[in-house]
Amino acid sequence: MGVLERVTGERQAQGIEDSEGKPFVRPTAWDDAALALKLGTEMQTRDEGGTPWNYTFCPQADYYMKSHLFGDIYASDQFTPAERELITVAALSAMNGVEPQFEGHKECAVFMGNTKEQVEDLCRWLADNIK
């Protein structure tokens, strides 16, 4: 966030106007843990192509992933589920040691509404342009 703040400040000082996108609206699920879990379970199931997972061996992590990573984060309307997965694919492509997650999220990006070609184009562009 600090780097983003610095870069946007520098751009503003140069007279560059950046669109801030939609105004932020606090999602209802942020104030309702049961709703966040319900929405998160639905989004996680969709993200996995309709196959839900339940990490019953570690219920606290299972709850956290469903209620926060899928419930709270997907509750915001700033990005569509398809856009969120492309962002996740792009972020993972810049990290080492996360190949299983990278491959998994490429599949999830398709489950969330992107075409396989869009995902492949993004990965190709990232590989060619980001070092």
Side-chain angles (χ1 to χ4, degrees), residues 40-55 65-66 70 74 85 100-101 103-112:
T41 301
E42 291 169 1
M43 291 308 297
Q44 175 273 318
T45 300
R46 179 177 168 197
D47 196 50
E48 293 294 321
T51 305
W53 43 250
N54 292 298
Y55 293 135
M65 288 190 292
K66 288 175 181 166
F70 289 97
Y74 276 95
E85 277 301 326
Q101 293 85 354
E103 291 302 321
H105 278 283
K106 287 179 2 183
E107 289 180 13
C108 293
V110 174
F111 294 143
M112 291 306 233

Side-chain angles (χ1 to χ4, degrees), residues 2-131:
V3 172
L4 177 60
E5 181 180 41
R6 180 180 51 79
V7 169
T8 56
E10 290 171 359
R11 290 175 59 83
Q12 187 176 27
Q14 295 170 9
I16 300 170
E17 288 189 38
D18 292 306
S19 169
E20 292 185 15
K22 301 187 232 186
F24 174 74
V25 175
R26 183 180 175 86
T28 305
W30 287 10
D31 298 315
D32 184 337
L35 178 59
L37 179 60
K38 179 182 180 296
L39 292 173
T41 301
E42 291 169 1
M43 291 308 297
Q44 175 273 318
T45 300
R46 179 177 168 197
D47 196 50
E48 293 294 321
T51 305
W53 43 250
N54 292 298
Y55 293 135
T56 54
F57 72 95
C58 191
Q60 185 174 359
D62 186 65
Y63 175 83
Y64 174 79
M65 288 190 292
K66 288 175 181 166
S67 65
H68 177 64
L69 294 180
F70 289 97
D72 290 341
I73 292 173
Y74 276 95
S76 172
D77 68 352
Q78 294 296 306
F79 298 105
T80 66
E83 291 167 337
R84 284 182 200 287
E85 277 301 326
L86 290 179
I87 292 165
T88 302
V89 168
L92 290 170
S93 75
M95 298 178 200
N96 292 321
V98 295
E99 289 76 16
Q101 293 85 354
F102 178 64
E103 291 302 321
H105 278 283
K106 287 179 2 183
E107 289 180 13
C108 293
V110 174
F111 294 143
M112 291 306 233
N114 297 289
T115 66
K116 188 171 183 169
E117 293 74 26
Q118 287 172 311
V119 176
E120 290 171 354
D121 287 347
L122 171 64
C123 292
R124 198 171 14 263
W125 186 90
L126 291 166
D128 292 343
N129 293 282
I130 307 298
K131 303 207 178 353

